[in-house]
Amino acid sequence: MRLFDTARRSVVDVKLDDHVGMYVCGITPYDATHLGHAATYLAYDLVIRRLEDIGHTVTLVRNYTDVDDSILPKAAELGEHYLALAEREIARFTADMSALGARPAAYEPRATQSIEAMVTMIGTLFESGHAYTSGDRIYFDVSTFPEFGKLSGYSADRMAELAAERGGTPGDPRQRNPLDFVLWQASTDGEPAWPSPFGPGRPGWHIECSAMGHTALGETIDIHGGGGDLVFPHHECEIAQSEAIHGAPLARYWVHTGLVGYQGHKMSKSLGNLVFISDLRTRIDPRAIRLALMAHHYRSEWEWFDDEAMAAQRDLQELAGAASRTPAVDGEAGLVAEVRGALDNDLDAPAARDALLGAAAAIRRGGAGPALSDELCAAALLCGIDLRSTTMGEGPP
């Protein structure tokens, strides 16, 4: 299998042992699962399905960031406890992922249940000279990690720009360096606080994933993923603090997905134009959502248009109709191999989708052999679409 490795900036042969550990950054559970989430998590689901098809065993870890600078103000705005908000949105996310047929994660650690591991890591960073106290915060000192920026390849100026846009505070005078980032901070009134050797408070965002990933998968993760907006600062900071502690690469391969827009605009909570999966799957079969997302390459930035929903529903009906035309038979011809080849080619889901639809068209024309409908089902199932299911959203086939 070949995938684009962000760190190497090229498509590379992915060389893995029989058992593969995969960490994909999960949601901050303060709002519903939207189309961008689905595009990201179903892309990694395709990777997992193909790796399993090759013969690997995959352990997927996907976290919940249930305490950070996003969920706390949202809970306060709604007038409810932040953990009650998290619990409700985690349940909705789980239902959406199940309906979409995503492989369930083996571990779903929550930040609030991993505080002890974070405190231990921060203590180690202090002892090794990588952290310092300033005011009521503890920072990671990026000057002690000369490779900071190696994942993104960005200049210091570009990283400072993005830090300001994505939750960092490059202009804060408490920081020695504009790119230093928070490991621990004092909680303000109404915020949760945990005891620590550094005083009561709560963790910074980046240390959360370093602690949760290490607890579940050890020092080096085989494949680490997430949306492309996490390359910097989140994953860059993860690398710095984790590798400063362990002296080993945080990940063998870094795989990121492109961002999704909506009908000519950025899809965002502030614009109120998010397409929620829980709404979309009341209108079309969840399998059609998968099929629609397969039309877009996982690394590309693309826009969703509302007419894609019904077009995908029609395509699903075409596939399901073709799959039911002839009786199931043993054996496979070239379609499964074609889909495998597409997925192995940097997860070319659009090519795999085209192969499925092409086979369905051949069956409809009557020019296909008797084994093709069974092979169509096998090839679609490799992509997470069960054409012989009669119930919408039965869960992972």
Side-chain angles (χ1 to χ4, degrees), residues 210-226:
S210 282
M212 290 185 281
H214 179 258
T215 299
L217 296 173
E219 293 180 0
T220 300
I221 298 161
D222 292 310
I223 298 175
H224 196 318

Side-chain angles (χ1 to χ4, degrees), residues 232-307:
F232 188 88
H234 187 49
H235 290 163
E236 202 76 74
C237 295
E238 263 196 87
I239 288 172
Q241 62 203 7
S242 294
E243 296 187 6
I245 291 171
H246 302 125
L250 175 56
R252 293 185 174 88
Y253 302 98
W254 288 91
V255 180
H256 293 93
T257 58
L259 303 182
V260 182
Y262 178 66
Q263 300 196 147
H265 301 281
K266 177 184 178 182
M267 191 184 297
S268 70
K269 292 180 176 65
S270 60
L271 295 176
N273 64 351
L274 294 178
V275 178
F276 293 116
I277 297 302
S278 55
D279 295 335
L280 193 57
R281 64 186 178 90
T282 64
R283 296 168 43 214
I284 63 172
D285 192 308
R287 295 172 296 175
I289 299 175
R290 284 193 79 120
L291 199 58
L293 294 176
M294 286 180 64
H296 307 279
H297 192 269
Y298 80 98
R299 283 198 288 119
S300 65
E301 295 197 356
W302 55 277
E303 295 180 13
W304 172 262
F305 291 87
D306 287 336
D307 58 1

